[in-house]
Amino acid sequence: MDELLLDVARRAKRYVEGVGERRVSPSPEAVERLKLLDVPLQDEPMEPSTVLSELDEIGSPATVATTGGRYFGFVVGGCLPAAMAANMLAGVWDQNAAYEILSPVAASLEEVCARWLISLLGLPQHSGVGFVTGATMANFSGLAAARHALLAREGWDVEAKGLFGAPPITVIVGEEVHASVFKVLGLLGLGRDRVGRVPADDQGRMRADALPRITGPTIVCIQAGNVSTGAFDPADQICPLARGSGAWVHVDGAFGLWALASPKLAHLAEGFQDADSWAMDGHKWLNVPQDSGIAFVREPGHLRAAMATSAAYLIAGEGREPAHYVPESSRRARGMEIWAALRSLGRRGLADLVECTCRHASRFAEGLEAAGYQILNDVVLNQVLVSFGGADITRRVIQRVQQEGTCWCGGTEWQGHVAMRISVSSWATTEEDVQRSLDVILRIASDEAQA
Ligand SMILES: Cc1ncc(COP(=O)(O)O)c(C=O)c1O
């Protein structure tokens, strides 16, 4: 075991040291070599050190370097050193975080994180908090609590009776709602296609003036941080209107809600604290390892009612039982990395992380605009959308940037325009990373314009 642990530490060190210099997307040869892992399963056991070496030598070169400083795809955070180290220790501890009696340390770290997060974000002090796999499951948890609360108010026990024969719930979303909300609505039996879609403005913000009149049990889903533009729905107008009519307001704040941790940017998320439930990611802007999301519900009883399990052998303690706030039972000790990230950053460090990545995004936008390319969004946060002319040339630039390997940016279609998306979400990104990436993007764009 000694040698194995030293070996994994050496290999981890080599990976971390190299990740900033290697190409960001794996080379086609490295991806091709993954076939070497696809062997017929042998009969006899194999030495763990050989297993590790196979994994590392074949697997590591085929990873996408998302923990380096030049990955700008989707919205993928890096991994803070303290969080990475905590994750390694978590692997060794192998705690089952379902119940306090299964892991007092996991349960207690979740409680501490819940308090820290509530205070950092200014959410209602007694909110229920669940530590889940990502924003999709955080949306699921928040909306499950909403479904419970609205139907309980109608005298219907949805957990016991299901939705057959239940009073209908109206669901309202903005035109630019994230796709994960539709997935969750399907999972919860609320339906993907029966939602009311409120028109959005040119930044993807739900238009408060277009909100329909609310009657009966209603959920209004608003968004803090559009996945393309970074824009925030006008929560300060929507929350009072919707909640005043008895609706439940759920916030998909996957990454954008972290703006609340920055005194300089918190104004963007004004009014979001007045909602009923909130979904966030840890693995995006907080830069903890995959997978990590957080669900908050103003009235913890609604979340517990939707999630709690009981069985004779499941002994609940006096305190907060982690499994009573999430869809899963057995699960890893996800609070560990959140605790480590927050402890290492402190309030100031978290604000710096958020602000610094936003500055890098602005620098990208300035450099691209100065070269004559069109920035399609107001760069208010860490997201940039750029067009290099028409759809074809923009697609070609994206493809060539991805192949070249210095950095990685994805593509999208934004309100009729094909665009390259640049999301700066990692603590590891430096000014030099931005400049290096910008140089490559501009060189490729100029080549393509002349081709
Ligand atoms: C606004 C928003 N909501 C939800 C999600 C889904 O997050 P996850 O992949 O962590 O489930 C994302 C992912 O980018 C997002 O940007």
Side-chain angles (χ1 to χ4, degrees), residues 75 134-137 139 178 180 223 225 227 252 254-255 281 283-284:
V75 184
T136 304
M137 285 318 283
N139 279 326
H178 192 266
S180 65
Q223 183 167 249
V227 71
D252 176 3
F255 63 101
D281 269 302
H283 56 219
K284 291 189 169 69

Side-chain angles (χ1 to χ4, degrees), residues 225-245:
N226 176 281
V227 71
S228 297
T229 63
F232 292 71
D233 287 346
D236 52 343
Q237 296 168 52
I238 295 170
C239 278
L241 272 176
R243 294 189 81 225
S245 312

Side-chain angles (χ1 to χ4, degrees), residues 244-306:
S245 312
W248 176 291
V249 178
H250 171 75
V251 178
D252 176 3
F255 63 101
L257 219 48
W258 288 108
L260 287 170
S262 150
K264 287 194 188 131
L265 297 168
H267 66 96
L268 293 170
E270 208 179 313
F272 279 92
Q273 288 128 320
D274 294 331
D276 295 281
S277 56
W278 303 262
M280 291 179 79
D281 269 302
H283 56 219
K284 291 189 169 69
W285 231 350
L286 183 58
N287 280 234
V288 301
Q290 318 292 324
D291 44 24
S292 180
I294 311 142
F296 301 87
V297 176
R298 178 182 287 274
E299 290 288 336
H302 297 315
L303 183 58
R304 274 199 307 270

